[in-house]
Amino acid sequence: MAAKGEELAEKIREISVAEFFEKNRHLLGYENPTRSLLTVVKEAVENSTDAAEEAGILPEIKVEIQQLAEGRFKVMVEDNGPGIPSSKVPVAFAKFLVGSKFHRLRQSRGIQGIGIHGAVLYSQLTTGKPAKVLSSLGGNDPIHEFELMIDVTKNEPIVLSHRTLPNPKGWHGVRVELEVEGRYVDKITQSVPEYLRQTAIVNPFATLHFKGPNGASFTYRRRVEELPRQPKEIKPHPHGVELGLLRRMLSNTSAKTLLGFLTTEFCRVGRTSALEICSLASLNPGQHPQKLSGEEVLRLHKAMQSAKLMGPPTDCLSPLGEQMLLEGLKREFRAEKYVAVTRPPAVYRGNPFQIECGIAYGGELKEPVQILRFANRVPLLYHQGDCAFTQAIREVDWRRYGIPQDDFPKAPMVILLHFVSVWVPFTSEGKQALACYPEIMREAKLALQDAGRELSQYISRKERLREKQLRMGLFERYMPELAESLSKLTGRPKEEIMAQLERRLDEEKG
Amino acid sequence: MKRKDEVIEALEALGAKILQEIERGENPSLEVPIRSLSNVRYNPETRMLELGSERAKRYFFNVAHVRKFVQTVEAAALSKELKEVGKHLSLREAFYRMKRTLPGSDINLVDEQEESNQAIEDLELITNLSREKLHFNANKMGSVAGKVVIEDKGDVVDWSKLGSGGWSIPSNVEEIVFKEVKARFVLYMEKAAEWERLHEDRVWERLNCVIMCSQGQATRGVRRLLQRLHLEHGLPIYVLTDFDPWGFYIYSVLKFGSIGLAHISEQLAIPGAKFLGLTADDVERYDLKKHFIKFEEVDLRRLEQIAKYEWFKDNKEWQRQFKLMKQMGAKVELAALSSKGITFISEHYLPEKLRKQEFLD
């Protein structure tokens, strides 16, 4: 959650980065070798897809994992994004920019946490090897190859080498190579192949290539030649601001008065609302934001929560949309019925969000039900039991839609839920489960119910048809017996009676 | 020969009707009178149970009906076949004749004998022809002895010259011809053991009567034979049963007809039959109380049911019997009379009862 993120950010400033990482690696997705390898891949892939998408480029991501020794791997992730200017590469990969993203409320994959820097540091700490980064802006820009490490005491990049390579084909994008300790698995839900498979489902506009250490390789080709709408960046809404963030916003702002601070740094706060907040907090609107006492900040925070304000704008969200959801499901599952629902935007704690639900039913699918959870197009593979989505699936009455249920619905189907927001309320920094806010639970259940209704129409139609066929089959079975008996009673040929019964059966069928 | 035609005609008409409906593009149907207590009435005029007018329509193109529909038509076809070759089938044999698997399925046309039995009973109701006329036979169970000579399938049989077993009553007695009837009445008893007692004592000779028994509820053949002796030769029918609700009901069925066969009461019931014993008064008079078998809960419930039947409801004599039995809370078997002496029933009990004309109606 945001509070946790804030705390972490504060801590990182206070202690050395390495120390912090060592102490908190379990919270950051590096608690065991299997998950660590997955987290490294995940951070790199999400960085890459975000970069391409923000530049309006249909992403094409290559992931390769090589095994170097027992428990030691080389992870390579390459994108076709815009690339990073060579002067910015060291900072982009080898300096924790904690806090920078917290001001920026924009729907993106790497929305919080310490992202690719964590992966670079993990690599450095487990193997002592530098990260290799290749980047080019394309066109005449050569390829810049860096070897980078993080100065863990100063949180500064160390550039071990920087050389330029010819770029005859005008390649643009970024390629990261990291040597890490880890363990590679491919048969379980929490594996790199499964992560990529699920990523492909909610990113049908992306092409993903994979080469595994055991020689396995596959490609998910894009099914949609169009990117979803670009999400817009918004300012925080006063209702959703945590105390820590407010403190830092106050100290970073260039505004000279509290009034100016409130009206420029937040959305939905005009002069009138700002004055109302100040009066609620018994604060002078002309006061300098950096000169508030700790106690005054508390009052301000409380007043901001209770002020009557318009909800945040919701056009900042970019859901996949029902069509793309359907494409994603069809790419991966051979089902007989696909249903997709995109709910209208809603708000929890000042944060706009939107929920999407997709269901693939029947066909080659088997029981038990598969649950796929996503947040901002990223699969959530761990902590399924703690997630608001899992809870919502349990709470829906599936029997109403003709689907048996004990705890979970029992049907050969896949249920996909996608949470879209400028801020994802994860239950922990590991970013794997959504918190059960009432608004989120409500919307998730409504999405499931909408989808369930559509599905139930299909199921009952199918059921009716099946019953009818069964009925007709029954008559068909008994017809020869009846014809035989009637033939004995009347002396008329059996075939003649059969023909007439068949005519009558056709009418029944029609 | 003429009777055969009647049956074949009815069966052919049934087939033709169904065929016609199919040709007209209708859903072929059968109309079957409903056989349940709700559709059975007691007619005080005829003193018989009669079937009401409620009918159920059964369709071929109906998931719930199709099976019974085809079973009934199959029973009709089987009956016609039997008629044509002049053979009869027992209900068990008929079941095996009808039991076969529908092509391309694991469905049997009939799975249990109960199903083929019901199909045959439905056919009786639809055609208004008895099972025997349709050439289906029930189990035979019953013996007879007495001064009567009959002809059966060309054999002349004297019921007084058949040794210790007597004549075994067939399930179908329609074709039997009575050649000579010297007996003056019929003693019918519930149990074969009593019949053997009376036969050994040559009661039929001494009292100039016919003695007849079945085992438990009288079979159709036995009931029909009793009815024919009663109607065609005017022999009074006297019934002997145990002193218990079940015995009383055996008498009730003989006299008024049964719920299950209410549609053929006319061919089976004998409203003129009389109940000879055991009565509550016999129990008193012959000191049988020491042979009481205590009532079980079911006995009491059955007694209360019977007491409420329409045909017993207003019968004071019977209500008195029911009341006494309820007071005793016990039953007594006919066989208990042997405690008074080996041939007590033949030499004392029966002659006395008959002389006093102590009958319940």
Side-chain angles (χ1 to χ4, degrees), chain B residues 17 40 120 141 155 211 219 243 290 294 338-339 351 355:
Chain B
K17 178 213 163 251
V40 170
I120 289 165
M141 198 189 285
D155 297 333
I211 58 169
T219 60
F243 178 69
K290 54 189 168 208
K294 263 196 83 183
S338 60
S339 66
R355 195 179 61 245

Side-chain angles (χ1 to χ4, degrees), chain A residues 383-405:
Chain A
H383 303 308
Q384 175 169 304
D386 305 334
C387 187
F389 279 167
T390 312
Q391 193 53 31
I393 290 171
R394 283 204 187 102
E395 285 180 19
V396 166
D397 184 0
W398 291 93
R399 281 167 287 236
R400 203 188 282 180
Y401 310 117
I403 296 166
Q405 177 175 22

Side-chain angles (χ1 to χ4, degrees), chain B residues 56-258:
Chain B
K57 217 162 181 186
R58 232 173 250 162
Y59 294 96
F60 177 75
F61 289 107
N62 178 316
V63 180
H65 296 173
V66 57
R67 185 172 172 82
K68 280 200 163 190
F69 184 96
V70 176
Q71 286 169 347
T72 309
V73 179
E74 169 60 16
L78 183 54
S79 170
K80 188 181 176 221
E81 190 188 336
L82 289 171
K83 269 278 168 199
E84 282 166 352
V85 298
K87 295 282 183 192
H88 295 74
L89 282 183
S90 72
L91 291 177
R92 191 70 186 155
E93 289 170 322
F95 161 64
Y96 281 113
R97 241 355 247 156
M98 286 169 70
K99 187 179 169 188
R100 55 174 166 265
T101 306
L102 304 186
S105 78
D106 51 3
I107 306 171
N108 287 331
L109 185 54
V110 289
D111 277 319
E112 288 165 31
Q113 193 185 327
E114 189 52 33
E115 285 185 292
S116 54
N117 286 1
Q118 289 220 3
I120 289 165
E121 280 182 33
D122 285 344
L123 187 64
E124 287 187 279
L125 288 162
I126 292 164
T127 57
N128 209 17
L129 294 165
S130 73
R131 186 162 72 189
E132 288 71 25
K133 285 186 181 166
L134 294 166
H135 279 217
F136 296 109
N137 294 338
N139 294 340
K140 73 190 200 95
M141 198 189 285
S143 308
V144 68
K147 291 199 170 171
V148 172
V149 180
I150 58 153
E151 192 183 322
D152 179 19
K153 300 246 162 175
D155 297 333
V156 175
V157 183
D158 185 342
W159 287 357
S160 62
K161 293 193 167 116
L162 289 165
S164 56
W167 191 59
S168 168
I169 302 165
S171 59
N172 185 353
V173 298
E174 295 305 316
E175 317 284 324
I176 286 165
V177 180
F178 296 110
K179 305 280 280 184
E180 186 185 78
V181 179
K182 282 193 184 155
R184 289 183 295 108
F185 62 93
V186 181
L187 276 176
Y188 174 82
M189 58 229 71
E190 173 186 354
K191 287 178 182 164
E194 252 55 61
W195 183 89
E196 286 196 309
R197 160 93 269 114
L198 267 50
H199 189 40
E200 193 176 71
D201 299 345
R202 292 183 84 83
V203 167
W204 51 268
E205 195 172 44
R206 250 193 276 169
L207 300 177
N208 193 17
C209 63
V210 171
I211 58 169
M212 201 189 295
C213 74
S214 185
Q215 184 70 41
Q217 272 302 347
T219 60
R220 281 196 193 191
V222 168
R223 289 171 65 187
R224 178 73 178 140
L225 189 61
L226 278 173
Q227 195 201 41
R228 286 190 62 195
L229 285 167
H230 181 67
L231 294 179
E232 293 170 29
H233 295 279
L235 301 191
I237 312 291
Y238 303 129
V239 181
L240 269 172
T241 75
D242 289 341
F243 178 69
D244 67 21
W246 319 95
F248 289 172
Y249 191 65
I250 285 169
Y251 163 74
S252 169
V253 167
L254 281 174
K255 186 176 173 85
F256 304 109
S258 69

Side-chain angles (χ1 to χ4, degrees), chain A residues 280-306:
Chain A
L280 274 170
S282 314
L283 291 170
N284 178 1
Q287 196 170 346
H288 196 283
Q290 265 123 33
K291 292 189 177 142
L292 291 175
S293 73
E295 195 261 337
E296 282 171 333
V297 174
L298 278 177
R299 286 206 323 258
L300 176 64
H301 184 245
K302 209 175 153 202
M304 286 171 69
Q305 305 288 313
S306 51

Side-chain angles (χ1 to χ4, degrees), chain A residues 471 478 481 485 492 504, chain B residues 23 25 63 67 74 100:
Chain A
R471 218 161 53 226
Y478 279 104
E481 292 299 327
S485 303
R492 293 270 282 281
R504 169 73 214 198
Chain B
E23 279 166 359
V63 180
R67 185 172 172 82
E74 169 60 16
R100 55 174 166 265

